[in-house]
Every structure is written in C-alpha cells, then in structure tokens.
C-alpha cells in the first residue's frame, strides 16, 4: 500500500504541476478581465437571482434546484476534510491560494453556467442534455469531439473512483468512527486488515440510503438537495461563527500566519520557493475539489435549469463558488489556523477539523462538538455522493452515445463504490480524487479559454437588453439567435433511438 501511495503521489505532483495551476489561474484571470470583474460588480444581483426563479423558462428543474444539485456536489467533505488536508500538507498559506483561486473561479463558474445553457439541447419530451462535452463539441466544432469524449471519460471516473464516492464515504465513516468508536474497541477483520464495526455498519447504511435516492433520478436528487443543502450550510456557518467570535482575539494573528505562509515567509532560508509552490498546489487543488470551478461538473447540473437566459444561470452558478469557498471553506480554515490543530502530530483528515473545533469551543462539551461536526460531515458527504452520481451518469450518457444499459450498470457500480470507500487509506483516496479532477479540468479550461469571446458577447447582450428594459427582466427583448455561435447544426447530435424518454432516467433500476 505504501508503494501504491508513492506512485499516486508522483502522478499527482505531475498533473497538478505548475502548468495546470497556471492554466486554471490564467483562465480565471482572462475571464475576469473579459467580463470586467463581473463576479464582483454583479454578485448582489446573482444572490437575488439565486432566490428568485425565472418564470416561463425551459428546462427540467428550477434554477434554485439546479444550483442546489450543483451545491450538493460541491459543498461536501472538501469543505471540512479537504481544507484540513490542504493546510496540513501545504501550511496555512494553502487557504490564501484557495481564496485567490475561488475569486477568479467565480468568473470561471459563471462562464460554465452560461455556456451550459447556451449550448444545451432540450428534446421534445423535455429531457435536457448539457455540460462541458456539449459546449466543447458544439462551441468549438465537431473536430474537437475527442476532447469532449475525454472530459466525459474522466468525469465518469471521477464520480465512480474519486470525488463522488470514495473520498466522501471515507471521510463520513472516519468521522462516525471517531465519534462512536474512537479507540477501535469493536473491530472485525476484512481484506486482511482490522476495521471498526462503526465503519462497516455506516458504509452499509450509507450505500442503502444512496441507492434509495439514486433510483429516483434527477428530480429526487434535486428535491433532497433543496431541503438538505440550505439547512446544513446555515448550521455549519453558525457553528463556525460561534468559534471565531469566541476566539476573536486570535483572528488577526491567524490572517498574518496565512499570508506569511502563502508567500513562504515562514520557510527556512532557501526553502521559500518550495513552500510557495506546495501551498499553491494544495490550496488550488483542494479549492477546485471543493468548489469545482473550472472542473466542468457544475454546468452539467446547470444545463437542466428552467431558464431562457444563459447569463442569468451563469450568475446563479457563480454564487456556488462564493458560498462554498469564500464562506464555508473559510470557516473551516480559520478554525484550524486559529486553534493550531494542523500542527498536532498524527492527526489527519476530519480529525484535524474536529480537534480545531473542540479546542476553539472548549466551553462546549467535546462530545457535542464532535457530534455536530460528524452530522455536518455526513450530510455534506451524502449530498455530494448524490450530485456526483448525476454528473457521472450524464458523462457516461454522452460517452456511450446514450446507452441506458451502461448508465444502469454505472449506478450499481456507484453504489458498490460507496460501500468500499472506507477501506482505502486517506492519502490514497484524496490523491486519486486530485488526479481525476486535474484530468477533467484540462479539457474544460481549454474550452472556456477558447469560448471566452462567446461568453463576453453573450454577457454584453444580456446587460444591454436589461438596461434598455430599465432593469426589468420581464420587459427585455428576446435573445438573439444562437446559431452563429454553434459550430454544428442547432439540434441534438445524439440519435433519437439511442436516447431514453425523459422519465426513464427516473424509473427504478431493475437488477
């Protein structure tokens, strides 16, 4: 296992090297410039749109439901465990690079949501097809279909073997075991190793719950997400704010530590550059793992939103990165840095975050703190598992030209992956997720850079029409035709016979 971990680490260092980090930051910076800092100037409007669904739009679910589906996949264990692993591996400075990537990432996420709506297809039966594979093929041209297929392949792998299943359930069962059986007193031998019964039971229960939701398709996933996401975010943010205000005197020093670490000022002589690169690598990688800006996953959900305006959905999609990283990840990161828990030898993953909250909230019984964090982590991870199954299915649907047999097999494999997730090491799990994330980000970022002019024109058109309508959406003139931006015929490129009816994806899977 140690050899396997070392091989994964070499691959991870290669794919998450300087070139990819430059590509992601350059893409975000380019879009920020071409959009004139839209993520800052239009954030209040985006937050209003988030809570106000468009009337009469075409799609499968409301814009808010599409956002919640995307947030169900983004606000997950990365916000609790991912931030901890980034700070442990890259130092407190990783949090700074996470923030920077998120600020540029808001422009990236906006562009992803816009292009998802602009280049989607809505069949006569209402089934929506959209995502990076469609805006790569249709926006860049059919000769780039191989790049779209590549994205789809890595997307289904990421869902099945990375960010969607193994990392989530590994973190969930780890937190549950830490609460119910921290000393591993009730154990069983599996796969030649000893595991707590808490791990076995929790993985079985989780796999069962996931299976019950997944057979309901997108609408059931969206329904669950709409109810769970707002509640759990509020609980976690309030809990974190209590810790921060209770230790408010430590906050200035925490920010100093973060900025010094980000620029290698705490490193020994000669190690400054290395410290900066490690902090950048871990911060950007975990930031993308958490908010998925540039990854290309969120536009798969955004494409299903009931809207006629790509810009509107782009603004709503943008709020996901703001809520995920600027708000939720910051809470976790500040708690860890303020408490110094990242310096504790032997702690990893959820244990770092739990130790940070227990230290920072010593006025509350440690068992209560641990239980609340365990509950948040379980809910965060559970909804992420649901969202990534939808992503993986849509990737597979595109990759196989609409084979529903492949999609049904994928669902069962996905549920099985949820069960086996706890039996892999923490380091291996997160490294595998990082590798697949990078492989998804490369084709998606190439497409966003190439199509940045399309994004800019669409944005300018929307705000010009909105201004002419005195800021009243209902009075806006209809959008100009999209045909000039499509490089393939303005129609569904998948054969009608190969595709299921819209409600077939929501029918129970039969063994």
């Amino acid at each position: 296992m140690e050899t396997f971990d070392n091989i994964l680490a070499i691959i991870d260092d290669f794919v998450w090297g300087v070139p990819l980090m430059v590509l992601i930051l350059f893409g975000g910076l380019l879009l920020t410039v071409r959009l004139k800092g839209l993520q800052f100037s239009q954030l209040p409007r985006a937050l209003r749109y988030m809570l106000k669904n468009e009337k009469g739009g075409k799609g499968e679910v409301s814009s808010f439901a599409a956002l919640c589906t995307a947030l169900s996949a983004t606000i997950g264990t990365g916000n609790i465990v991912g931030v901890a692993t980034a700070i442990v591996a890259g130092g407190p400075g990783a949090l700074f690079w996470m923030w920077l990537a998120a600020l540029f990432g808001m422009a990236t996420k906006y562009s992803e949501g816009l292009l998802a709506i602009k280049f989607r297809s809505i069949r006569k039966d209402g089934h929506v097809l959209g995502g990076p594979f469609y805006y790569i093929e249709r926006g860049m041209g059919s000769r780039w279909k191989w790049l779209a297929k590549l994205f789809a392949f890595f997307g289904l792998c990421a869902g099945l073997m990375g960010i969607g299943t193994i990392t989530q359930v590994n973190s969930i069962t780890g937190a549950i075991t830490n609460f119910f059986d921290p000393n591993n007193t009730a154990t069983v031998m599996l796969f030649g190793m000893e595991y707590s019964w808490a791990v076995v039971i929790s993985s079985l229960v989780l796999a069962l719950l996931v299976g019950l939701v997944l057979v309901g398709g997108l609408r059931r996933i969206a329904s669950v997400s709409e109810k769970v996401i707002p509640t759990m975010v509020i609980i976690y943010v309030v809990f974190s704010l209590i810790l921060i205000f209770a230790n408010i005197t430590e906050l200035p020093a925490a920010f100093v530590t973060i900025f010094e670490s980000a620029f290698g000022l705490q490193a020994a002589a000669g190690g400054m550059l290395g410290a900066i690169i490690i902090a950048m690598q871990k911060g950007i990688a975990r930031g993308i793992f958490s908010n998925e800006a540039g990854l290309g996953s969120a536009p798969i959900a955004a494409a299903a939103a009931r809207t006629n305006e790509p810009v509107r959905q782009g603004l709503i999609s943008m709020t996901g990165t703001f809520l995920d990283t600027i708000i939720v990840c910051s809470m976790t990161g500040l708690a860890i840095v303020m408490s110094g828990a990242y310096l504790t030898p032997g702690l990893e993953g959820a244990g770092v975050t739990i130790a940070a909250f227990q230290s920072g909230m010593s006025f509350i019984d440690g068992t209560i703190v641990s239980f609340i964090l365990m509950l948040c982590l379980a809910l965060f991870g559970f909804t992420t598992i649901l969202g990534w199954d939808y992503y993986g299915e849509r990737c597979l649907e595109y990759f196989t030209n609409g084979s529903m047999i492949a999609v049904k097999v994928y669902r069962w494999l996905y549920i099985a992956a949820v069960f086996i997730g706890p039996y892999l090491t923490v380091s291996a799990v997160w490294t595998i997720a990082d590798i697949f994330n990078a492989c998804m980000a490369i084709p998606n970022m190439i497409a966003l850079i190439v199509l940045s002019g399309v994004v800019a024109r669409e944005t300018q058109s929307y705000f010009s029409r909105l201004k002419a309508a005195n800021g009243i959406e209902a009075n806006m003139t209809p959008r100009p035709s999209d045909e000039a931006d499509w490089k393939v015929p303005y129609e569904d490129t998948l054969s009608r016979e190969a595709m299921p009816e819209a409600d077939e994806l929501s029918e129970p899977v039969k063994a």
Side-chain angles (χ1 to χ4, degrees), residues 456-497:
R457 288 197 304 273
E458 188 74 35
T459 302
Q460 183 179 14
S461 170
Y462 176 84
F463 285 105
S464 295
R465 290 183 291 117
L466 184 63
K467 182 178 180 180
N470 296 318
I472 302 174
E473 283 187 283
N475 296 338
M476 289 173 62
T477 58
R479 290 178 58 236
S481 172
D482 280 320
E483 292 185 14
D485 293 321
W486 279 52
K487 305 302 181 184
V488 297
Y490 192 83
E491 60 185 4
D492 189 4
T493 57
L494 294 180
S495 66
R496 181 66 182 84
E497 293 75 20

Side-chain angles (χ1 to χ4, degrees), residues 33 222 316:
V33 172
I316 293 173

Side-chain angles (χ1 to χ4, degrees), residues 225-300:
S225 301
E226 278 186 299
K227 296 178 177 63
V228 175
I229 292 294
T231 303
M232 71 183 188
V233 169
I234 290 172
I235 291 174
Y236 187 71
V237 169
V238 169
F239 195 57
S240 301
L241 287 174
I242 292 174
L243 181 150
I244 292 172
F245 282 111
N247 300 273
I248 196 68
T249 56
E250 303 294 329
L251 191 59
F255 277 108
V256 170
T257 300
I258 290 168
F259 288 112
E260 286 183 347
S261 175
F263 295 99
L265 299 180
Q266 296 179 334
M272 180 179 294
L273 181 60
I276 294 174
I277 292 175
I278 293 174
M280 285 181 64
Q281 182 189 46
K282 298 304 178 183
I284 294 173
R286 290 293 185 266
I288 291 177
F289 180 98
S290 179
N291 62 52
E292 299 177 14
L295 198 61
S297 52
I300 300 175

Side-chain angles (χ1 to χ4, degrees), residues 147-464:
L147 190 65
K149 289 282 188 180
L150 195 65
F151 172 87
F153 173 75
F154 286 123
L156 66 92
C157 289
L160 189 62
M161 295 180 286
I163 189 172
T165 53
I166 298 175
T167 55
Q168 308 303 324
V169 70
N170 187 283
S171 299
I172 293 171
T173 55
I176 291 174
T177 302
N178 186 71
F179 181 78
F180 288 105
D181 188 19
N183 298 317
N184 288 326
T185 55
T187 60
V188 61
M189 290 295 296
L190 289 174
F191 314 116
M193 297 184 66
E194 192 174 50
Y195 294 96
S196 169
W197 272 106
V199 172
V200 178
I201 294 172
S202 59
S203 63
L204 280 170
V205 172
L206 190 59
L208 177 62
L209 292 175
V210 167
L212 290 174
V213 176
L214 293 189
V215 296
L218 171 61
R219 289 180 177 83
R220 186 176 295 177
I221 293 173
S223 177
V224 172
S225 301
E226 278 186 299
K227 296 178 177 63
V228 175
I229 292 294
T231 303
M232 71 183 188
V233 169
I234 290 172
I235 291 174
Y236 187 71
V237 169
V238 169
F239 195 57
S240 301
L241 287 174
I242 292 174
L243 181 150
I244 292 172
F245 282 111
N247 300 273
I248 196 68
T249 56
E250 303 294 329
L251 191 59
F255 277 108
V256 170
T257 300
I258 290 168
F259 288 112
E260 286 183 347
S261 175
F263 295 99
L265 299 180
Q266 296 179 334
M272 180 179 294
L273 181 60
I276 294 174
I277 292 175
I278 293 174
M280 285 181 64
Q281 182 189 46
K282 298 304 178 183
I284 294 173
R286 290 293 185 266
I288 291 177
F289 180 98
S290 179
N291 62 52
E292 299 177 14
L295 198 61
S297 52
I300 300 175
R306 284 196 290 267
T307 181
N308 296 323
E309 292 286 353
V311 168
R312 197 180 197 283
Q313 187 58 39
L315 290 171
I316 293 173
S317 296
M318 181 179 82
T319 63
T321 300
F322 176 77
L323 293 172
D324 177 273
T325 304
I326 305 300
I327 302 298
V328 182
C329 284
S330 294
M331 297 295 166
T332 303
L334 289 173
I336 292 172
V337 176
M338 289 169 69
S339 67
Y342 66 98
L343 298 172
T344 305
L347 281 182
E348 63 177 2
V352 176
T353 307
I354 292 171
F357 275 85
Q358 287 179 334
S359 173
M361 304 179 75
S362 56
F363 50 89
I364 299 178
D365 185 85
T367 303
I368 296 175
V369 173
S370 181
F371 177 78
I372 292 175
L373 284 176
M374 178 201 70
L375 184 63
C376 288
L377 186 59
L379 289 174
F380 280 21
F382 179 69
T383 56
T384 299
I385 292 171
L386 300 182
W388 266 92
D389 172 75
Y390 176 70
Y391 293 162
E393 288 186 16
R394 296 293 75 74
C395 287
L396 185 60
E397 185 179 343
Y398 178 85
F399 190 76
T400 61
N401 295 321
S403 171
M404 286 312 297
I405 295 177
V407 170
K408 290 179 180 180
V409 170
Y410 181 88
R411 282 184 188 170
W412 286 110
L413 290 175
Y414 196 88
I415 294 169
V418 171
F419 174 70
I420 68 172
Y423 308 109
L424 296 176
T425 66
V426 173
S427 59
V429 162
W430 286 89
T431 305
I432 290 171
D434 277 348
I435 292 170
F436 282 128
N437 283 2
C439 293
M440 288 179 67
I442 292 171
N444 183 58
M445 288 305 303
I446 291 172
L448 292 178
I449 292 171
V450 171
L451 297 174
S452 61
V454 175
V455 174
R457 288 197 304 273
E458 188 74 35
T459 302
Q460 183 179 14
S461 170
Y462 176 84
F463 285 105
S464 295

Side-chain angles (χ1 to χ4, degrees), residues 65-121:
L67 174 65
C68 286
T69 301
L71 283 175
S72 72
T74 55
I75 298 183
T77 57
N79 298 81
I80 298 177
V81 182
V83 176
T85 58
I87 292 175
V88 169
L95 189 59
F96 169 83
W97 295 108
M98 196 177 292
W99 288 335
L100 187 65
L103 291 175
F104 290 142
M106 289 174 68
T108 304
K109 186 69 75 72
Y110 165 82
S111 302
E112 290 177 326
L114 183 154
L115 293 172
I117 298 296
K118 185 176 180 66
F119 291 104
R120 69 179 177 176
S121 283

Side-chain angles (χ1 to χ4, degrees), residues 49-51 53 61-69 226 230 313 316:
Y49 282 175
M50 181 182 71
L51 301 174
N53 291 318
V61 296
S62 68
S63 292
F64 182 70
L67 174 65
C68 286
T69 301
E226 278 186 299
Q313 187 58 39
I316 293 173

